[in-house]
Amino acid sequence: MDVNAAVAAAAAIAGVLTGVIAVLAFRWSERDQKRPTRTSLHIDPVLPPGVDTVLSVLRSSAVVLDEADAVVKASSAAYALGLVRGGTLSVEPMLQMARDTRRDGEIRQVELDLPRRGTGRGEALAVSARVAPLGSRLVLLLVEDLTEARRIEAVRRDFVANVSHELKTPVGALSLLSEAVMDASDDPEAVQRFAGRMQIEATRLTNLVQELIDLSRVQNDDPLEDAEPVRVDELVAEAMDRCRHQAGTKQITMAAGGTADLHVWGNRGQLAAALGNLVENAVNYSPARTRVGIAARRVNAPGGDMIELAVTDQGIGISERDKERVFERFYRVDPARSRATGGTGLGLAIVKHVVASHGGEVTVWSAEGQGSTFTLRLPEAGAARDRAQQHPDLEDEAGASDSSPYEPLPAPEVLP
């Protein structure tokens, strides 16, 4: 009897202990489930009120990181720049900045060069990154793309340097020649020789200043404000008259074909200057007793017919490397030859800007030793006028290109 009582008591105590343990385990599990974990913070992040809306309208690339460096929010621009990949910030210097800011709360900013996504040519993206704390546990990263701004600054800096160099050359020559004239005042033949050289340098200086003015004008003015139908044959005749003396001196034959009954829409003065620059280059860079041809035709294109004007020469030609740069300001394929002909390196840059502002494009075909063909493609008068009246903003979107889906025009029959 005592033994049975003892067994029953022991069983009762064991049951009570089991129940107490079960209750404690249940309470502990319930408490553990309610406790916020690191995983739950990643799954359900909370941004301060209004931050999401502000980030959506920022022009900068925005990334929000939590205390575990996981991306809570990222703009589409951040993905496009390659800043965020696989839910993490992929740029180590920016990630280290975020950690330092999270630790001490200090705002940090740095400029970095990042490899361009999807290219293997080593090109870099210039960015400015700024990191600031956002609330108690989040960090905000704002990244501004400075690549285009740096490119424009480099172009401006190079332009100023080139202008300074180009101006110094004739000005310095004039100074030296004037001293030579003074020293040779008792030698009429020397004075005449030096005076002739002074006239050449003065002409070169005048041409450079004028082309700088022309380039500035075509970049800043809207040629379509005073646009009118322009006869192609008149443009061609004016361009040929401009170069007739130089062509006659070198016994170069100029011929034109296919220009009758064609009209383009634009500023007559600018179009004449652009075509004249191409014809003048063809004459200057062609050997003596060769031929320069100008051909025109109408071609079908989306949005309306286009007029193509091709200037073909039998000159020295342009290499593949140089063809990509001939429309840059002050770039010369052959600097020594260009200086001998009085070229400034601005003519093709002016052509590019004029054609672009008229809603067209300029292309070049060339082979070394075989000559070159520069082709202007401009909207025909009727099609351009109708499009401008229906869609006035389209003219501002036109650009120039160094390549073209069209084949270059065949040389006129007068060319072999």
Side-chain angles (χ1 to χ4, degrees):
M1 186 65 179
D2 294 336
V3 174
N4 292 335
V7 171
I13 294 172
V16 171
L17 291 174
T18 300
V20 171
I21 292 173
V23 171
L24 292 175
F26 176 78
R27 294 290 180 84
W28 183 269
S29 176
E30 186 179 30
R31 180 183 177 186
D32 191 55
Q33 288 179 0
K34 293 181 179 179
R35 180 183 302 166
T37 62
R38 176 169 294 183
T39 303
S40 67
L41 289 175
H42 293 173
I43 296 175
D44 188 24
V46 179
L47 291 176
V51 172
D52 197 3
T53 303
V54 173
L55 295 182
S56 64
V57 298
L58 286 177
R59 298 181 61 182
S60 305
S61 302
V63 180
V64 179
L65 303 175
D66 65 9
E67 70 272 17
D69 293 333
V71 175
V72 174
K73 177 74 175 180
S75 64
S76 58
Y79 286 97
L81 288 178
L83 304 179
V84 178
R85 298 177 186 176
T88 60
L89 185 62
S90 60
V91 183
E92 183 59 33
M94 295 182 186
L95 190 59
Q96 186 59 48
M97 287 174 58
R99 291 168 179 167
D100 295 339
T101 296
R102 186 185 301 111
R103 184 182 66 253
D104 55 23
E106 294 291 332
I107 297 176
R108 289 175 169 81
Q109 183 170 352
V110 68
E111 292 188 2
L112 300 170
D113 290 332
L114 306 179
R116 190 181 295 272
R117 188 176 183 182
T119 63
R121 295 180 294 173
E123 297 179 354
L125 287 171
V127 300
S128 174
R130 185 178 179 87
V131 180
L134 185 64
S136 59
R137 62 183 182 85
L138 302 179
V139 173
L140 172 63
L141 170 67
L142 295 177
V143 180
E144 189 78 23
D145 188 355
L146 304 178
T147 307
E148 184 65 13
R150 285 194 179 181
R151 187 191 69 80
I152 293 174
E153 175 61 23
V155 170
R156 186 197 65 79
R157 186 169 56 251
D158 292 342
F159 181 73
V160 172
N162 286 327
V163 168
S164 301
H165 174 74
E166 295 295 335
L167 289 175
K168 283 181 179 178
T169 301
V171 170
L174 287 172
S175 177
L176 292 175
L177 288 169
S178 64
E179 293 180 3
V181 169
M182 293 178 63
D183 294 339
S185 57
D186 56 347
D187 187 348
E189 292 184 1
V191 170
Q192 186 174 7
R193 184 172 65 255
F194 292 143
R197 288 292 305 167
M198 291 178 68
Q199 288 182 340
I200 294 175
E201 295 300 332
T203 300
R204 177 177 298 172
L205 180 60
T206 301
N207 292 339
L208 175 58
V209 173
Q210 184 59 50
E211 291 201 348
L212 286 172
I213 295 173
D214 293 341
L215 180 60
S216 176
R217 181 179 296 117
V218 300
Q219 286 180 319
N220 296 326
D221 294 349
D222 182 4
L224 301 183
E225 288 184 355
D226 301 320
E228 60 180 345
V230 181
R231 292 174 57 95
V232 172
D233 55 357
E234 293 179 357
L235 291 177
V236 172
E238 186 173 339
M240 293 175 65
D241 289 340
R242 170 178 170 178
C243 306
R244 199 171 299 280
H245 176 71
Q246 297 97 309
T249 302
K250 300 173 67 174
Q251 300 180 21
I252 293 176
T253 301
M254 295 189 296
T259 62
D261 300 325
L262 297 179
H263 297 77
V264 293
W265 181 257
N267 183 290
R268 178 187 178 87
Q270 291 192 13
L271 293 174
L275 183 60
N277 284 346
L278 292 183
V279 176
E280 186 174 11
N281 278 355
V283 172
N284 287 338
Y285 286 92
S286 293
R289 292 179 294 279
T290 57
R291 297 180 180 179
V292 171
I294 308 172
R297 66 177 180 179
R298 179 188 291 108
V299 296
N300 295 326
D305 291 344
M306 305 287 285
I307 302 298
E308 283 188 348
L309 279 164
V311 179
T312 304
D313 64 59
Q314 296 174 294
I316 58 177
I318 305 172
S319 67
E320 288 295 328
R321 176 179 58 86
D322 290 324
K323 278 196 295 186
E324 298 179 357
R325 302 189 60 190
V326 291
F327 295 99
E328 296 179 10
R329 303 164 185 167
F330 296 108
Y331 186 80
R332 297 181 175 92
V333 175
D334 185 350
R337 185 182 182 91
S338 181
R339 290 189 184 280
T341 59
T344 62
L346 290 174
L348 291 180
I350 293 174
V351 172
K352 178 178 178 179
H353 284 288
V354 168
V355 176
S357 63
H358 281 76
E361 64 177 353
V362 56
T363 60
V364 56
W365 173 92
S366 185
E368 290 185 274
Q370 300 182 29
S372 306
T373 297
F374 285 84
T375 303
L376 303 180
R377 186 174 294 110
L378 296 164
E380 191 175 19
R385 180 171 50 192
D386 294 341
R387 186 166 65 248
Q389 292 174 350
Q390 296 174 5
H391 305 284
D393 295 334
L394 290 181
E395 301 299 341
D396 296 334
E397 300 174 1
S401 171
D402 295 349
S403 60
S404 170
Y406 294 86
E407 293 295 329
L409 285 175
E413 294 181 0
V414 295
L415 295 179

